[in-house]
Amino acid sequence: MFNQRNFHTLFVVTMSLIFTFIMSAILTFVFVGFSEHYFIEWMQDWAVAFVIAVVLNSFIPEMIQARIKGMSHPVIRYAAIAALINTIILSFALVSFALRGWSNPQFLEFWLLHAWPVAMVSAFLINLVLPKLVGRFVSEHLIKKEVVA
């Protein structure tokens, strides 16, 4: 068990782990379909996405929440903005990784017409529910409860 000071780090790592696991599975399917190499490709994509997401999730959520504070529909606004930022960066990186570089002539078309739209819709839906679920999970299962004497 961890103490309350570790909440942010635990939240970032857990959120990144689950988010990238789902997103990399979806994008790997877009890249290769359910082929014999799907699982290997998925795990390679997940490893790349996880590292990027941990860095992004270390500072982006606070920036978004500071900007939308006091606005109507904050959960929807947060989900849309977080999905936009994360999917532009993650889908760019994963397509680059899958096509062995962004200089590939098919890169731009595949990224903008196939990978990014799927990633954006998926990430928006995930960001509507996952942050609250991860926050609850970390609070209830990973953070040590203070005993009041």
Side-chain angles (χ1 to χ4, degrees):
M1 293 294 251
F2 300 92
N3 60 31
Q4 189 63 38
R5 291 180 309 163
N6 303 112
F7 179 84
H8 178 74
T9 303
L10 290 169
F11 178 84
V12 166
V13 170
T14 306
M15 180 72 183
S16 299
L17 180 84
I18 296 169
F19 181 82
T20 57
F21 194 76
I22 296 167
M23 289 302 300
S24 61
I26 293 167
L27 287 177
T28 302
F29 177 74
V30 171
F31 299 152
V32 298
F34 281 124
S35 70
E36 61 189 43
H37 303 289
Y38 175 79
F39 186 75
I40 293 168
E41 293 283 334
W42 176 21
M43 291 298 103
Q44 289 174 341
D45 288 350
W46 175 75
V48 171
F50 178 70
V51 171
I52 294 168
V54 166
V55 172
L56 291 175
N57 287 330
S58 295
F59 64 91
I60 286 179
E62 289 84 15
M63 290 173 49
I64 295 170
Q65 290 181 354
R67 302 281 190 284
I68 64 171
K69 194 173 189 172
M71 292 182 173
S72 62
H73 310 294
V75 173
I76 294 172
R77 289 178 190 265
Y78 173 83
I81 296 167
L84 181 66
I85 294 168
N86 282 321
T87 58
I88 287 173
I89 295 168
L90 285 173
S91 65
F92 183 91
L94 291 178
V95 172
S96 295
F97 185 73
L99 295 177
R100 310 294 183 244
W102 52 268
S103 61
N104 185 314
Q106 299 171 326
F107 172 79
L108 197 57
E109 176 185 348
F110 192 79
W111 176 49
L112 292 176
L113 298 179
H114 301 287
W116 183 76
V118 171
M120 181 61 190
V121 171
S122 303
F124 174 72
L125 295 173
I126 293 167
N127 277 318
L128 284 175
V129 296
L130 193 60
K132 187 175 277 192
L133 293 175
V134 168
R136 187 178 310 143
F137 174 78
V138 169
S139 294
E140 293 176 5
H141 300 289
L142 300 179
I143 300 296
K144 183 172 37 176
K145 304 289 185 227
E146 299 283 329
V147 177
V148 179

